[in-house]
């Protein structure tokens, strides 16, 4: 039996394991894909908005020649941190439910990649399952067409095509700029009156210049209300409709955490998009000895927790478990 089972090997799950191990607790990380799966799914050439220092876990320096590191540097960094601390990680095994027994111990029920059911016992469980598996669907006709994706990887396949991006955040702006460079005809449709205020400051002027020069067509205060095989329908917030020729749609509308695992374990979920109830000083949920770490702890604004802020959850959890053990 492990002292702590951690579900999810994202930066926050890895950090929780390191902090627990440092306090003499045995850990097992169960990961349904592979470590830092979310970062792997970022656009291939993405640059973080955080500095390398603010992405560090386990006090291992993240050195980068760049002011803000790129995706591939972060993949390498987190791989090395996991290897350095010899973390006990099982990849390609999905946690499907958490059972809490009357004696306060847990069984985590899982399924491996062959569909085989497995059962792991632990004294404590940390849920650190993130949000990247669950895009925010818009719910419009045509959203399920094969030409629509919620994940942008790189621009090359879109060369010479007409691409509509739905969204106005960093992901949307980065994708638009990369697409222009490969010769795609880019239209952005965003419901806000301006694109996000959080656009990376070094990116904003370049993007605005592209809009001014007409390389990107920007429909603000508007929504895509239908996606067809060869076009999209754009409707302004005043109700004016127009048809835009289109080959591909990138619906970069964000992600939300999946609460199914939390619900299966009896954690109380609150009003704000079913935010789990937990103590902010310890990250312990309403179920004793069951903790949340990272983005899964956020409410309707999934961006309220990110690596910079979620990486400290592990220390809070480890300190709480350790001090409770001292009292037993
Ligand atoms: C394009 C982009 C750029 C970003 N840039 C930054 C940035 O510059 N700085 C910053 O701080 N943050 C940034 N973020 C946010 C950051 O990626 C997330 O906040 C971070 O990944 C959250 O870490 P986490 O450990 O909570 O979850 P995740 O990294 O999402 O990890 C969760 C892990 O749990 C696994 N998992 C899920 N369900 C199960 C299950 N049932 N069983 C087993 N395993 C499971 C997943 O496969 C995944 O590996 C960015 C996000 C995006 C999308």
């Amino acid at each position: 039996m492990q002292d702590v089972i951690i579900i999810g090997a994202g930066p926050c799950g890895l950090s929780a394991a390191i902090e627990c191990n440092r306090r003499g607790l045995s850990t097992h990380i169960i990961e349904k894909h592979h470590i830092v799966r979310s970062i792997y799914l970022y656009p291939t050439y993405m640059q973080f908005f955080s500095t390398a220092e603010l992405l560090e876990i386990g006090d291992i320096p993240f050195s980068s020649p760049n002011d803000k590191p790129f995706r591939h540097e972060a993949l390498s960094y987190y791989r090395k941190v996991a290897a350095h601390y010899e973390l006990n990680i099982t990849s390609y095994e999905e946690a499907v439910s958490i059972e809490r027994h009357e004696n306060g111990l847990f069984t985590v029920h899982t399924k491996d990649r062959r569909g085989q059911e497995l059962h792991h016992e632990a004294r404590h469980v940390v849920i650190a399952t993130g949000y990247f598996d669950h895009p925010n669907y818009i719910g419009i006709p045509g959203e399920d067409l094969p030409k629509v994706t919620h994940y942008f990887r790189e621009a090359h396949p879109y060369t010479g095509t007409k691409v509509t991006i739905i969204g106005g955040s960093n992901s949307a702006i980065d994708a638009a700029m990369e697409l222009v460079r490969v010769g795609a005809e880019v239209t952005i449709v965003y419901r806000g009156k301006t694109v996000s205020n959080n656009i990376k400051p070094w990116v904003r002027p370049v993007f605005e210049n592209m809009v001014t020069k007409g390389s990107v067509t920007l429909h603000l205060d508007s929504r895509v209300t239908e996606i067809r095989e060869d076009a999209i329908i754009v409707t302004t917030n005043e109700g004016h409709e127009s048809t835009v020729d289109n080959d591909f749609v990138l619906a970069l509308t964000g992600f939300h955490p999946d609460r199914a695992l939390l619900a299966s374990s009896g954690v109380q979920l609150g009003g704000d998009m079913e935010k789990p109830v937990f103590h902010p000083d310890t990250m312990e949920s309403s179920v004793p000895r069951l903790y949340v770490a990272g983005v899964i702890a956020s409410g309707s604004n999934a961006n309220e927790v990110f690596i910079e802020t979620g990486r400290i959850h592990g220390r809070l959890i480890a300190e709480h478990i350790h001090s409770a053990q001292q009292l037993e």
Side-chain angles (χ1 to χ4, degrees), residues 16 140 161 215 220 238:
I140 53 172
T161 67
S215 313
L220 293 171
E238 280 82 46

Side-chain angles (χ1 to χ4, degrees), residues 19-289:
E19 297 297 336
C20 287
N21 291 353
R22 282 175 158 178
R23 288 161 184 82
L25 302 163
S26 64
T27 60
H28 179 195
I29 304 182
I30 297 171
E31 164 56 56
K32 82 168 162 181
H33 298 287
H34 48 76
I35 73 161
V36 291
R37 165 76 172 184
S38 299
I39 296 173
Y40 169 75
L41 289 178
Y42 285 2
T44 308
Y45 308 110
M46 201 214 71
Q47 187 173 21
F48 280 83
F49 57 76
S50 304
T51 58
E53 197 185 17
L54 292 173
L55 301 171
E56 288 172 0
I57 57 172
D59 298 319
I60 301 285
F62 183 170
S63 75
S64 165
N66 303 297
D67 181 29
K68 314 281 164 82
F70 285 84
R71 163 188 169 273
H72 68 277
E73 296 175 80
L75 291 177
S76 162
Y77 171 75
Y78 290 115
R79 275 200 310 271
K80 283 183 184 141
V81 171
H84 174 82
Y85 283 107
E86 299 179 348
L87 296 180
N88 175 17
I89 303 173
T90 303
S91 299
Y92 302 105
E93 187 170 320
E94 178 178 2
V96 288
S97 64
I98 301 165
E99 187 180 356
R100 185 170 188 270
H101 304 287
E102 276 182 8
N103 60 4
L105 301 178
F106 295 93
T107 302
V108 178
H109 302 281
T110 65
K111 223 186 258 180
D112 72 10
R113 62 199 305 189
R114 290 166 210 87
Q116 191 186 342
E117 290 179 7
L118 301 158
H119 313 280
H120 305 275
E121 298 197 333
R123 295 182 182 84
H124 308 83
V125 174
V126 178
I127 302 184
T129 48
Y131 67 168
F132 216 58
D133 279 338
H134 304 278
N136 293 328
Y137 291 104
I138 312 163
I140 53 172
E143 194 174 5
D144 54 350
L145 288 172
K147 68 182 218 171
V148 183
T149 180
H150 291 80
Y151 297 90
F152 172 68
R153 302 306 305 274
E154 52 185 287
H156 177 80
Y158 302 100
T159 302
T161 67
K162 297 181 179 66
V163 185
T164 295
I165 297 169
I166 305 175
S169 64
N170 271 306
S171 302
I173 304 311
D174 285 354
M177 290 175 44
E178 211 181 309
L179 286 161
V180 167
R181 289 189 198 108
V182 302
E185 211 175 289
V186 183
T187 302
I188 295 181
V189 182
Y190 185 51
R191 62 188 172 177
K193 289 195 188 306
T194 60
V195 294
S196 165
N197 290 330
N198 298 327
I199 302 306
K200 290 173 268 198
W202 63 95
V203 166
R204 183 180 283 277
V206 187
F207 170 71
E208 286 174 349
N209 193 31
M210 282 181 169
V211 175
T212 308
K213 281 180 16 201
S215 313
V216 174
T217 305
L218 192 53
H219 292 269
L220 293 171
D221 226 2
S222 302
R223 292 162 196 267
V224 174
T225 46
E226 186 182 341
I227 301 170
R228 300 178 183 160
E229 289 289 357
D230 58 355
I232 53 161
I233 307 299
V234 178
T235 307
T236 65
N237 287 342
E238 280 82 46
H240 176 71
E241 267 189 15
S242 57
T243 305
V244 177
D245 288 348
N246 170 266
D247 298 312
F248 294 102
V249 174
L250 304 179
L252 305 182
T253 46
F255 303 90
H256 63 271
D258 179 17
R259 313 294 192 191
L261 205 56
L262 288 165
S264 84
S265 56
V267 170
Q268 211 180 319
L269 301 172
D272 179 18
M273 278 289 280
E274 308 266 273
K275 182 174 172 153
V277 172
F278 63 89
H279 195 294
D281 294 339
T282 65
M283 304 309 289
E284 188 176 32
S285 74
S286 58
V287 174
R289 300 179 184 221

